[in-house]
Amino acid sequence: MNIPESIREVLPYAIEMRHEIHRHPEVSGSEQNTAARIRRELEGMGIPVKAFDGCHSLMGTLRNGEGPCIAVRAELDALPIREATDLPFASETPGVMHACGHDVHMALALASAKWFSSHRSEWSGTVKFLFESEEETVGGGQRMVAQGCMEDPAVRCILGQHMNPNYPVNSFYSRCGAVSGASDELRLVVRGASCHGAYPEKGVDAIVIAAQIVSALQTLVSRGISPFDPVALTFGTVRGGTAQNIICGEVELTGTLRTIRPETRALLHRRLTETAEGIASAMGGQAAMEIEPSYGAVVNDPEAYRIVETCARKLLGDALMVEQQAPSLGVESFCYFLDRTPGVYYDLGCGVGTGLHTPTFHVDEAVIGTGVALQIEAVLRLLEHNWQHGG
Ligand SMILES: [Zn+2]
Ligand SMILES: [Zn+2]
């Protein structure tokens, strides 16, 4: 790997920080010690730190003369998993583990911060280091954005990266355009009229109506949306009824809708409601569909993506560039930072091993060197770029 000498100098620090953070994981919403540690590190580099109300998220802002502002994002939280690795720096907190690689992401951001703060003559502009709390649950990014992390100075481009154990160590996995989908939470209540199970003509069976609605909504996706436009509609719970011989008067279903295109998302919001209400009413009952918008899609900006992709190809070589063939319908809280700002989200292969969120998850630490080098090179190129939009 062709890592410049000045970047190699911050790698021992990255590895030390990764081990330290991995030893002391904290679950979403309880990241106070991790946040205090990050604050101490950033302030030790002379980088002013801002905290955010209602969460443990932090932001370090390194100003260094004229130029655009580029941000990098890392996550603070670990998972409620009992670590089952035999790493010498395994979790010392029973039942809590950095099993999503966020310890590595923090180490990469801190090492980049160290490099940028000690090589000020080699760049100009502002670099923000965003440390997001509760990424695994509610997504602290939403609060950070609401409290101005993308303003003053306005961020021109933001980078997010994630460990990916499904690809060989040091591979770059991403794509131009949509990377992951938008999510909406669904709650459907179907009302009929309860009566004795032997005399169905005296009531309206909410279970039968709900069954028709579930089938019709699946057909709405397969017949109403192009097969080339990814959609997942899942009802995960059905609750209703009191006894085997009583016709059920009310059923509640909950589910999730995943889409990529905003037009498809809007169309389905309308059609899901119309179809459920129409079927229920035709069958003598009523349906109420509540749709709670959740995460937005993560879409890589083409201009910024080209810059980051070029850095990755130069650093890693063609063989380690893996193009993501299609967007994923999973969600990522990185979407909140992309609301009004272009950005790039990419995965770094950390070796083929057990999956994210498993007790034996671990990374090949060779990824730390390339991760730091790619982050620094990409930020440098983005700082030099003549931005025509954004900000
Ligand atoms: Zn995770
Ligand atoms: Zn994660």
Side-chain angles (χ1 to χ4, degrees):
M1 223 42 69
N2 187 20
I3 299 176
E5 195 47 47
S6 81
I7 295 179
R8 282 187 194 277
E9 283 166 17
V10 297
L11 299 186
Y13 171 72
I15 289 172
E16 181 199 321
M17 287 313 301
R18 191 253 159 161
H19 292 180
E20 169 75 16
I21 294 168
H22 191 89
R23 257 193 196 104
H24 305 290
E26 293 173 303
V27 293
S28 313
S30 304
E31 307 99 333
Q32 52 273 10
N33 294 329
T34 309
R37 180 69 207 232
I38 301 283
R39 171 184 282 277
R40 206 157 69 233
E41 293 301 318
L42 292 172
E43 287 178 346
M45 299 170 198
I47 300 175
V49 175
K50 173 184 159 71
F52 295 85
D53 293 339
C55 59
H56 296 295
S57 301
L58 292 175
M59 174 173 74
T61 303
L62 180 56
R63 291 171 194 261
N64 189 36
E66 291 296 306
C69 174
I70 307 299
V72 301
R73 173 272 215 158
E75 316 91 320
L76 291 171
D77 49 344
L79 290 155
I81 292 176
R82 181 176 293 272
E83 180 158 353
T85 71
D86 50 12
L87 295 171
F89 52 88
S91 169
E92 291 173 13
T93 309
V96 184
M97 176 190 179
H98 270 296
C100 200
H102 298 179
D103 52 337
V104 180
H105 307 164
M106 283 183 263
L108 300 185
L110 284 174
S112 296
K114 199 173 195 59
W115 189 91
F116 278 97
S117 63
S118 56
H119 291 81
R120 289 175 193 248
S121 62
E122 292 169 48
W123 63 281
S124 165
T126 300
V127 186
K128 287 184 176 177
F129 301 93
L130 274 57
F131 292 86
E132 179 190 10
S133 66
E134 298 156 279
E135 194 280 330
E136 297 285 1
T137 54
V138 294
Q142 207 171 2
R143 280 206 182 89
M144 298 177 81
V145 172
Q147 292 175 48
C149 74
M150 303 303 276
E151 316 298 329
D152 188 32
V155 176
R156 285 294 179 122
C157 184
I158 179 163
L159 296 179
Q161 74 286 298
H162 208 292
M163 293 297 109
N164 189 330
N166 301 317
Y167 293 94
V169 65
N170 294 335
S171 50
F172 176 90
Y173 177 81
S174 189
R175 72 198 296 267
C176 193
V179 172
S180 68
S183 163
D184 298 293
E185 290 165 21
L186 309 175
R187 179 171 175 267
L188 172 67
V189 177
V190 178
R191 289 198 179 85
S194 183
C195 68
H196 194 299
Y199 309 102
E201 74 281 9
K202 293 189 188 306
V204 176
D205 191 336
I207 288 179
V208 170
I209 299 175
Q212 297 279 352
I213 291 174
V214 170
S215 296
L217 295 184
Q218 294 304 322
T219 308
L220 182 61
V221 172
S222 71
R223 304 291 82 181
I225 305 294
S226 160
F228 297 101
D229 184 3
V231 174
L233 172 68
T234 297
F235 282 99
T237 74
V238 180
R239 282 191 200 88
T242 49
Q244 101 286 0
N245 59 352
I246 299 174
I247 289 202
C248 167
E250 184 171 308
V251 176
E252 184 201 65
L253 300 96
T254 61
T256 184
L257 173 68
R258 303 297 173 92
T259 49
I260 299 292
R261 297 174 65 233
E263 305 89 312
T264 306
R265 189 182 191 186
L267 172 75
L268 282 171
H269 282 195
R270 187 165 58 75
R271 296 292 292 133
L272 288 174
T273 305
E274 286 171 359
T275 306
E277 287 175 359
I279 289 173
S281 132
M283 295 177 76
Q286 290 161 336
M289 177 76 83
E290 286 170 26
I291 302 176
E292 184 74 48
S294 180
Y295 293 85
V298 170
V299 181
N300 282 340
D301 176 73
E303 193 179 350
Y305 183 78
R306 263 195 308 279
I307 294 170
V308 176
E309 209 252 41
T310 304
C311 291
R313 198 174 287 280
K314 210 175 118 201
L315 181 71
L316 309 168
D318 290 345
L320 288 168
M321 300 298 289
V322 186
E323 185 166 351
Q324 184 180 343
Q325 291 302 309
S328 143
L329 287 174
V331 292
E332 229 312 319
S333 72
F334 193 65
C335 65
Y336 296 118
F337 302 108
L338 298 181
D339 223 14
R340 289 184 297 269
T341 309
V344 179
Y345 186 86
Y346 56 90
D347 282 0
L348 286 172
C350 59
V352 182
T354 64
L356 295 169
H357 293 212
T358 64
T360 49
F361 172 74
H362 62 283
V363 308
D364 179 332
E365 286 195 334
V367 74
I368 292 177
T370 44
V372 173
L374 177 57
Q375 196 167 65
I376 293 172
E377 294 284 350
V379 171
L380 285 172
R381 299 292 86 80
L382 293 165
L383 283 164
E384 289 165 4
H385 185 62
N386 180 22
W387 289 95
Q388 303 298 324
H389 64 84

